[in-house]
């Protein structure tokens, strides 16, 4: 960012929170840092206060969901999303952001009008990497790493598909809320994180 | 490193390069960071572990403390027991094979186990060689006492390293020793000049390219977790302070007076290891920890960490 306008207080870096109960928090932190944004590791309601955006990372959705309840964060996370600030959920985060998780149900945050089918591609031996389908617009040619990934189904009318792999939605948007079944934080391509930071304005 | 047996794996048979397969294996290890992996011997324990917030379970027939007590040959768990645990939980399921026992590892791969632990806790099947782990679709975790051992295992294809510690001892001293050894070895390599790295690789008995990676990045190329002797919330917090990115708890939970409470407490301390008040709260009302073993009372032959090289 050019440093010629020292009078502009609005030039402070975007502050991106990462829910830090469990998972690949540091990989997300690295991606966010490369975009020039500040990172806040979120474990308390007070950490949500001055954030511009929030990431629900990859990890184990059962573990993270139990941590959300233990820390009393379920309602504060909903309030944060209702404030209109952008939220991105990747893999386990996409499960948590959904209105419902099936196969081994887990309590979700209900922030997006879609259903996540947990581990729907199989166990770890079925994990895979693939490029997004042609016609995925800004996200064409994006290499996606799927680890025990969920599948997104029953997308509501307000949910827009931003990228597909083999015809299946893998990156979707509903207003300022984003769900991604792969792991953009595990590759060097920053397009998905930039989407979040840009949405924060 | 070409896979000598392309397409011989089970599952979909999708062709993958070794590098791509390795990325997926390390990817799952990344997802387990910040978590607690708990040893369980049946589906009831597995549910307790999952409900307490474990990020994975390790299915085995006897926890290390019982293996140590009972003696005899410790082998891979029964297939039915592993399958029962796989059916009972949604979190990843790991299981152990004997060092060098590639046939046991093929069984776990075919069962779709999420992570295979080539473990010194079981009786070694090969006293010279570890498994060639790149040849498998399943990721492997291996124990290590120092950087050379860690890099040898990664060279063979391990996607996660854990300290060996001393399993089943309830004594954290060996895990601390191994964590400090690995991180100290890493700092030593960072301080070397580039032209010194080949002789460093020779001295460590480690692959040169991995020594160069450590020199450049100041860390292992795969996640580095702690195991062996963790019995209290404070033990878990200590391992995190020393640089471990997650912890394995074996006998420490189900050999304690109140496994459910202790499991939750260790999860809590592990998440909040930097927050002393949380670790205090996690340490209240736990009942008795497992009984520990003083290291001096163990012969060299009784030390599980000495297995493997």
């Amino acid at each position: 960012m050019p440093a010629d306008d020292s009078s502009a207080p609005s030039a402070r870096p975007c502050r991106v929170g990462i829910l830090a109960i469990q998972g690949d928090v540091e990989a997300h932190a690295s991606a966010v840092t490369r975009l020039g944004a500040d990172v806040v590791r979120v474990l308390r309601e007070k950490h949500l206060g001055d954030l511009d955006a929030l990431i629900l990372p990859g990890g184990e959705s059962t573990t993270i969901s139990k941590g959300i309840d233990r820390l009393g964060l379920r309602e504060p996370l909903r309030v944060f999303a209702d404030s209109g600030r952008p939220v991105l959920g990747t893999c386990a985060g996409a499960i948590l952001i959904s209105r419902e998780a099936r196969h081994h149900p887990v309590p979700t945050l209900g922030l997006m009008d879609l259903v996540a089918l947990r581990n729907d591609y199989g166990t770890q031996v079925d994990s895979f990497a693939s490029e997004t389908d042609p016609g995925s617009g800004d996200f064409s040619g994006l290499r996606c790493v799927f680890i025990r990934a969920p599948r997104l189904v029953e997308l509501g009318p307000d949910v827009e598909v931003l990228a597909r792999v083999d015809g299946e939605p893998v990156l979707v948007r509903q207003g300022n809320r984003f769900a991604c079944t792969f792991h953009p934080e595990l590759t060097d391509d920053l397009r998905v994180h930039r989407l979040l930071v840009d949405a924060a304005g | 490193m070409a896979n000598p047996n392309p397409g011989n794996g089970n599952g979909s048979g999708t062709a993958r390069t070794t590098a791509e397969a390795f990325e997926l294996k390390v990817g799952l290890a990344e997802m387990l960071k910040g978590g607690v992996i708990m040893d369980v011997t049946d589906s009831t324990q597995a549910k307790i572990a999952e409900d307490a917030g474990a990020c994975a379970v390790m299915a085995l027939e006897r926890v290390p403390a019982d293996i140590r007590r009972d003696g005899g040959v410790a082998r891979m768990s029964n297939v039915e027991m592993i399958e029962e645990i796989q059916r009972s939980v949604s979190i990843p399921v790991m299981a152990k094979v004997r060092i060098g026992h590639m046939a046991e590892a093929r069984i776990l791969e075919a069962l779709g186990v999420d992570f295979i632990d080539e473990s010194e806790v079981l009786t070694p099947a090969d006293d010279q060689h570890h498994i060639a782990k790149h040849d498998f679709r399943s990721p492997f975790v291996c124990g290590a006492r120092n950087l050379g051992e860690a890099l040898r295992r990664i060279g063979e294809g391990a996607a996660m390293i854990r300290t060996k510690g001393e399993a089943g001892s309830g004594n954290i001293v060996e895990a601390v020793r191994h964590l400090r050894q690995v991180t100290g070895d890493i700092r030593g390599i960072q301080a070397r000049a580039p032209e010194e790295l080949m002789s460093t690789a020779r001295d460590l008995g480690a692959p040169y390219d991995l020594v160069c990676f450590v020199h450049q990045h100041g860390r292992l190329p795969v996640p580095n977790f702690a195991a062996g002797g963790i019995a209290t919330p404070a033990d878990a917090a200590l391992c995190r302070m020393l640089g471990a990115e997650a912890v394995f708890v074996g006998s420490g939970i189900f050999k304690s007076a109140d496994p459910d409470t202790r499991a939750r407490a260790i999860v809590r301390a592990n998440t909040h290891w930097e927050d002393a008040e949380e670790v205090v709260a996690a340490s209240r009302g736990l009942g008795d920890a497992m009984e520990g073993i003083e290291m001096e009372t163990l012969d060299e032959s009784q030390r599980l960490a000495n297995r493997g090289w």
Side-chain angles (χ1 to χ4, degrees), chain B residues 15 52 135 220:
Chain B
D135 291 351
L220 295 180

Side-chain angles (χ1 to χ4, degrees), chain B residues 257-297:
Chain B
D258 181 352
D260 180 32
T261 303
R262 185 162 296 261
R264 287 171 198 279
I266 290 177
V267 168
R268 184 172 182 182
N270 182 61
T271 299
H272 300 279
W273 60 275
E274 293 175 289
D275 183 341
E277 285 181 23
E278 282 283 337
V279 181
V280 170
S283 303
R284 290 187 201 281
L286 287 180
D288 290 336
M290 70 177 284
E291 203 170 314
I293 299 173
E294 181 63 43
M295 283 307 136
E296 283 68 27
T297 65

Side-chain angles (χ1 to χ4, degrees), chain A residues 95-135:
Chain A
I95 293 168
L96 294 170
I97 211 169
S98 69
R99 76 164 189 267
E100 184 190 347
R102 291 193 200 138
H103 302 346
H104 296 290
V106 62
T108 68
L109 295 166
L111 300 179
M112 290 183 73
D113 188 9
L114 50 85
V115 171
L117 305 180
R118 294 182 65 189
N119 301 345
D120 203 52
Y121 295 91
T123 70
Q124 173 61 17
V125 293
D126 306 298
S127 290
F128 64 103
S130 185
E131 273 197 12
T132 49
D133 295 347

Side-chain angles (χ1 to χ4, degrees), chain B residues 221-235:
Chain B
V222 304
N224 183 25
F225 292 5
I230 296 166
T232 69
D235 287 346

Side-chain angles (χ1 to χ4, degrees), chain B residues 46-305:
Chain B
K47 288 299 291 176
I48 290 172
E50 181 176 51
D51 287 345
C55 69
V57 290
M58 175 78 71
L60 75 175
E61 237 148 82
R62 292 176 289 169
V63 295
D66 288 340
I67 291 174
R68 188 181 286 289
R69 186 197 63 206
D70 297 346
V73 173
R75 310 180 179 93
M76 184 191 82
S77 298
N78 279 330
V79 167
E80 293 82 359
M81 176 269 214
I82 294 168
E83 288 176 321
E84 188 199 337
I85 289 174
Q86 284 179 307
R87 280 193 298 271
S88 68
V89 294
S90 64
I91 56 180
V93 174
M94 303 186 174
K96 291 183 191 290
V97 298
R98 288 178 264 178
I99 290 173
H101 207 315
M102 47 201 157
E104 284 185 348
R106 286 292 176 206
I107 292 173
L108 294 187
E109 178 185 49
L111 289 174
V113 160
D114 294 294
F115 238 102
I116 299 173
D117 186 359
E118 187 183 18
S119 177
E120 71 281 1
V121 168
L122 305 184
T123 310
D126 189 325
D127 65 356
Q128 300 290 316
H129 307 288
H130 288 252
I131 295 169
K133 292 170 272 287
H134 279 302
D135 291 351
F136 288 75
R137 290 174 70 88
S138 305
F140 280 75
V141 52
C142 289
R145 290 161 294 183
N146 53 55
L147 183 62
E149 190 173 19
L151 295 183
R152 286 192 290 279
R153 297 293 86 77
I154 296 165
E156 293 159 354
M160 179 200 293
I161 291 296
R162 54 170 176 74
T163 56
K164 286 182 171 174
E166 188 57 32
S169 72
N171 189 335
I172 197 66
V173 66
E174 294 300 304
V176 169
R177 188 196 314 281
H178 300 157
L179 276 171
R180 284 202 181 276
Q181 185 70 47
V182 170
T183 50
D185 290 347
I186 289 173
R187 285 195 299 271
I189 284 186
Q190 283 186 283
R192 296 279 165 89
E195 65 273 18
E196 295 170 351
L197 296 179
M198 184 59 84
S199 45
T200 302
R202 178 198 61 203
D203 295 344
L204 286 174
Y208 175 68
D209 59 329
L210 297 181
V211 171
C212 292
F213 180 96
V214 171
H215 177 71
Q216 188 183 346
H217 296 91
R219 60 173 175 83
L220 295 180
V222 304
N224 183 25
F225 292 5
I230 296 166
T232 69
D235 287 346
L238 175 61
C239 290
R240 300 298 304 278
M241 287 175 188
L242 292 170
E245 295 168 302
V247 298
F248 287 79
V249 187
S251 319
I253 291 172
F254 289 101
K255 282 286 156 190
S256 72
D258 181 352
D260 180 32
T261 303
R262 185 162 296 261
R264 287 171 198 279
I266 290 177
V267 168
R268 184 172 182 182
N270 182 61
T271 299
H272 300 279
W273 60 275
E274 293 175 289
D275 183 341
E277 285 181 23
E278 282 283 337
V279 181
V280 170
S283 303
R284 290 187 201 281
L286 287 180
D288 290 336
M290 70 177 284
E291 203 170 314
I293 299 173
E294 181 63 43
M295 283 307 136
E296 283 68 27
T297 65
L298 289 180
D299 297 344
E300 285 299 307
S301 66
Q302 293 174 300
R303 294 198 179 205
L304 303 178

